[in-house]
């Protein structure tokens, strides 16, 4: 019996441990979320394959022309007639090798153009990651915002339930009328609705973040953690502009496109030159037992001198330069807009932190005390409750706006300047 009891206890302990591990939450910081995103996001992984494909094209661009081999067996005479002869008596056998010699560095220019294309692809991948990281950060911020609003809604509901308990006791003591108690209890629906809405929004934000991570973890077992606050310090605008010019991958890709267009034009000029075909042959031509020969074949570039490609690539240089200038102007616009948004949100947040939050809490507590002692009306009490709730929610929404704005500034600069 003793051993049966021990086995039963062990079985229960094992079941509890398995249940706890099955429902254990995965809590990630922003850096952990970012690392998982970079390792598992299918769009980023597909882009990396595109870089590998571009590098494979460099191999093709660097290949030399293949030599040609020609074998000839001629003057075979299996027919009767004429002086006596064997069918192979006058056999002419020739082996010839030919090779196209590319002049004016065509192969080197092809390789340089392919390498520039790879650089553009790498910059494009970095720009894709920059854009996706903004969406990832936005989803991360939405979870932090959802958690803060959910906790506030739960706190408000708990506080209001305490108020209801006090006023039910006042009703039983005859201090308030039935209609006032009914109005107070009806107001609880708003707090219940706030809690349910906050719960749905939080779960939705988690689902969006899991989609970015290509993760199938159940929502109830997934969470993130991080600071949900703001900082009044913002770097100077000129520093942000210079950092964006040095960092933005789309601007870097635009500059690389100009360089590639110049290389392509040089390649088009080179392709307009003549490439000779060099030949060497070895054969037998009776009565000559063996002989060797050399040949040079030179195409006459009279009509086709690659004029169209020369003109197109020259125009392409100007087009890419204009696109680069447009991208640079967009960089300044993005940085200035994001910088202005961050400053605006900080200006709105500061008085909330300095005064409005404390004032809303103080007004709510004062009006509640006055109402419970008959010095304030029910309407004043409900209005103070609504004002407190509105101020708290507005503050949390402004915090989320600040974090989103800083993420927008990081996107505009091309790297994290404000963590």
């Amino acid at each position: 019996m003793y051993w049966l009891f021990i086995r039963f206890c062990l079985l229960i302990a094992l079941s509890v441990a398995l249940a706890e591990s099955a429902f254990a939450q995965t809590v990630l910081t922003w850096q952990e979320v970012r690392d998982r995103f970079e390792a598992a996001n299918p769009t980023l992984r597909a882009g990396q394959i595109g870089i590998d494909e571009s590098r494979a094209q460099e191999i093709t661009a660097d290949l030399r022309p293949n030599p040609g081999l020609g074998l000839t067996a001629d003057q075979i005479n299996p027919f009767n007639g004429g002086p006596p002869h064997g069918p192979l008596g006058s056999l002419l056998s020739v082996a010839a090798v030919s090779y196209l010699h590319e002049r004016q560095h065509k192969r080197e220019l092809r390789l340089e153009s392919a390498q520039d294309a790879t650089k553009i692809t790498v910059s494009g991948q970095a720009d894709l990651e920059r854009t996706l990281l903004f969406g990832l950060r936005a989803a991360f911020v939405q979870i932090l915002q959802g958690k803060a609003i959910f906790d506030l809604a739960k706190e408000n509901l708990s506080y209001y339930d305490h108020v209801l308990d006090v006023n039910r006791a006042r009703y039983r003591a005859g201090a308030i009328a039935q209609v006032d108690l009914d109005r107070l209890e009806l107001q609880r629906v708003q707090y219940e609705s706030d809690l349910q809405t906050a719960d749905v929004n939080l779960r939705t934000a988690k689902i969006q973040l899991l989609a970015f991570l290509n993760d199938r973890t159940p929502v109830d077992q997934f969470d993130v953690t991080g600071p949900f606050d703001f900082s009044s310090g913002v770097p100077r605008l000129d520093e942000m502009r210079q950092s964006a010019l040095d960092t933005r991958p789309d601007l870097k890709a635009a500059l690389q496109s100009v360089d590639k267009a110049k290389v392509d034009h040089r390649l088009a000029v080179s392709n307009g030159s003549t490439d000779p075909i060099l030949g060497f042959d070895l054969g037998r031509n009776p009565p000559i037992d063996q002989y060797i020969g050399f040949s040079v074949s030179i195409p006459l570039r009279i009509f086709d001198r690659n004029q169209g490609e020369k003109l197109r690539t020259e125009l392409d240089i100007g087009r890419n330069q204009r696109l680069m200038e447009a991208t640079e102007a967009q960089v300044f616009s993005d940085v200035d807009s994001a910088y202005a948004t961050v400053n605006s949100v900080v200006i709105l947040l500061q008085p909330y932190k300095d005064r409005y939050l404390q004032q809303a809490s103080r007004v709510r507590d004062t009006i509640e005390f006055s109402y419970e002692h008959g010095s304030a009306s029910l309407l004043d009490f409900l209005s103070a409750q609504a004002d407190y709730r509105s101020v708290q929610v507005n503050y949390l929404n402004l915090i989320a706006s600040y974090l989103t704005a800083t993420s927008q500034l990081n996107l505009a600069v091309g790297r994290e300047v404000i963590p």
Side-chain angles (χ1 to χ4, degrees), residues 45-89:
R45 295 174 70 183
Q48 187 60 48
I49 295 174
I51 295 176
D52 295 337
E53 290 176 348
S54 185
R55 291 197 175 111
Q57 291 176 351
E58 294 180 23
I59 299 175
T60 303
D62 195 36
L63 294 177
R64 300 175 183 272
N66 288 320
L69 173 64
L71 300 175
T72 301
D74 203 355
Q75 299 184 179
I76 300 173
N77 188 359
F79 308 105
N80 296 324
H85 62 275
L88 302 179

Side-chain angles (χ1 to χ4, degrees), residues 148-209:
I149 292 180
F150 180 81
D151 291 340
L152 175 65
K154 189 160 59 173
E155 176 190 340
N156 286 342
L157 182 60
S158 176
Y159 178 87
Y160 199 77
D161 283 339
H162 169 71
V163 171
L164 284 178
D165 289 340
V166 171
N167 282 278
R168 289 188 185 107
R170 293 180 65 208
Y171 167 73
R172 288 192 293 270
I176 61 172
Q178 176 70 53
V179 65
D180 288 342
L181 180 61
D182 290 341
R183 292 180 66 183
L184 288 170
E185 291 182 340
L186 285 174
Q187 191 66 24
R188 189 181 188 276
V189 174
Q190 181 63 53
Y191 294 95
E192 289 178 340
S193 176
D194 289 346
L195 184 62
Q196 291 302 316
T197 301
D199 182 57
V200 171
N201 291 340
L202 176 58
R203 295 176 70 87
T204 302
K206 288 183 178 181
I207 291 171
Q208 291 176 350
L209 186 60

Side-chain angles (χ1 to χ4, degrees), residues 260-320:
K260 183 179 183 301
K262 292 178 180 178
V263 173
D264 289 343
H265 179 62
R266 290 163 53 199
L267 178 60
V269 173
S270 177
N271 285 335
S273 64
T274 299
D275 294 332
I277 300 175
L278 308 178
F280 169 80
D281 61 275
L282 171 67
R284 173 183 177 275
N285 186 12
I288 303 174
D289 289 336
Q290 295 91 21
Y291 73 89
I292 60 174
F294 301 93
S295 66
V296 177
S297 176
I298 301 177
L300 300 178
R301 303 297 295 266
I302 298 174
F303 304 109
D304 178 9
R305 298 188 302 276
N306 208 33
Q307 301 95 319
E309 276 300 293
K310 290 177 184 177
L311 178 59
R312 185 194 68 80
T313 52
E314 185 177 6
L315 294 172
D316 197 46
I317 294 174
R319 183 181 69 88
N320 281 283

Side-chain angles (χ1 to χ4, degrees), residues 130 168 243 247 276 364 382 407:
R130 176 182 73 96
R168 289 188 185 107
S243 183
T247 309
R364 182 189 66 168
L382 295 177
S407 181

Side-chain angles (χ1 to χ4, degrees), residues 148-149 151-160 163 187 190-191 194 352 355-368 379-397:
I149 292 180
D151 291 340
L152 175 65
K154 189 160 59 173
E155 176 190 340
N156 286 342
L157 182 60
S158 176
Y159 178 87
Y160 199 77
V163 171
Q187 191 66 24
Q190 181 63 53
Y191 294 95
D194 289 346
Y352 270 87
R355 299 189 306 275
Y356 297 155
L357 293 177
Q358 294 86 346
Q359 288 176 350
S361 179
R362 187 166 61 250
V363 168
R364 182 189 66 168
D365 295 341
T366 302
I367 296 297
E368 179 195 355
L379 183 61
D380 292 335
F381 171 74
L382 295 177
S383 177
Q385 292 288 332
D387 289 343
Y388 173 82
R389 169 178 162 273
S390 176
V391 168
Q392 292 287 341
V393 171
N394 287 343
Y395 176 71
L396 295 179
N397 288 336

Side-chain angles (χ1 to χ4, degrees), residues 330-387:
Q330 186 63 49
V331 167
F332 282 111
S333 174
D334 291 345
V335 172
D336 291 353
S337 298
Y339 190 85
T341 302
V342 171
N343 279 330
S344 175
V345 177
V346 169
I347 291 173
L348 290 173
L349 275 169
Q350 200 62 54
Y352 270 87
K353 190 171 187 178
D354 294 341
R355 299 189 306 275
Y356 297 155
L357 293 177
Q358 294 86 346
Q359 288 176 350
S361 179
R362 187 166 61 250
V363 168
R364 182 189 66 168
D365 295 341
T366 302
I367 296 297
E368 179 195 355
F369 180 83
S370 299
Y371 173 70
E372 290 177 357
H373 292 79
S375 301
S377 67
L378 176 61
L379 183 61
D380 292 335
F381 171 74
L382 295 177
S383 177
Q385 292 288 332
D387 289 343

